[in-house]
Amino acid sequence: LSILAAILAIGLGGPGNDLRRVVMSRCTTFLEREDPPNRRKICQTLWDAFTGAFVGRDQCEVPLEAYDQLVHSVPQKDHCHRTLFWSKTKHVVHQFTQGTKCLVTLEDTLLGFVMDGLTWCGRNGSRKTFTTGCPRWTQCPLNPVRSFWGRVSAAFAASACGNATVMLNGSLATPFDPNSTFGSIEVKNFNSSRMTGLAVVLVASESDSATCENSSLQNLQKALDPALKYSCKVVQQSQIQGCIADPPLACGKCW
Ligand code: N1C
């Protein structure tokens, strides 16, 4: 059996095999923590649904719906009152969620965890997966990576319930960018019968004059269903770092 496996590995060698290895190993690592008995089966299903979305397709013609099956094929948990969205604050956000375990971002769920930082695409008429020579984010709108994040972000936002949080970058002139994934996809997929409110944490550094009166935040407020309770608070980056270094016993006591 191992000889057969070796021959198969050589036969399937080259681009794509690495991607499969990374995806499968991240998937099993993630599920180890949650420990469902059938994780190999779940990860194989994930890989099949994932590659089904883009293999054999032109690398600029992968619609968001191509990932519908992937989104529906993996188990999803509810994170009431714990959902954390972000835009242009990725680094501090993930330091925070990993350090405190208080809130949950898309990268703390199976699909986000597995695909974070990866690049992939297919080619017309090829059964292979590629990780180089793929379009960049802005090169064409319907590229496989961008469509993936669009589709899973929509699902993540639609599943949010209770009071959700978003960390925005207070050092920018426009902390709420309507063209970002958060602004163009997540906000539009909030379900106000599941969600009760959105708490904006405007992450500021000492040198900037971030305020909740920023006009882009007024636009965010206008874009929300009036049924959602909106709040905003400026929080210094140093305070978040302090919280990561010394997590409070009760989540929610960081700011
Ligand atoms: O465009 P953005 O931010 O507003 O997207 C962030 C928003 C988050 O709330 C996430 O739920 O959308 C979701 N999301 C990811 O989880 C994610 N992980 C990695 C969106 N994009 C994600 N990436 C990569 O970050 C993606 O490849 C793209 O290049 C950036 C978008 O980050 P942004 O502009 O700071």
Side-chain angles (χ1 to χ4, degrees), residues 85-125:
F85 302 101
W86 52 270
S87 191
K88 313 290 185 290
T89 48
K90 187 176 184 186
H91 185 65
V92 64
V93 159
H94 291 137
Q95 278 186 311
F96 175 76
T97 56
Q98 277 150 34
T100 66
K101 308 275 179 225
C102 285
L103 299 174
V104 177
T105 64
L106 180 51
E107 290 69 34
D108 303 303
T109 69
L110 178 60
L111 287 178
F113 179 85
V114 170
M115 305 309 174
D116 194 22
L118 301 182
T119 300
W120 63 88
C121 60
R123 296 251 196 287
N124 230 334

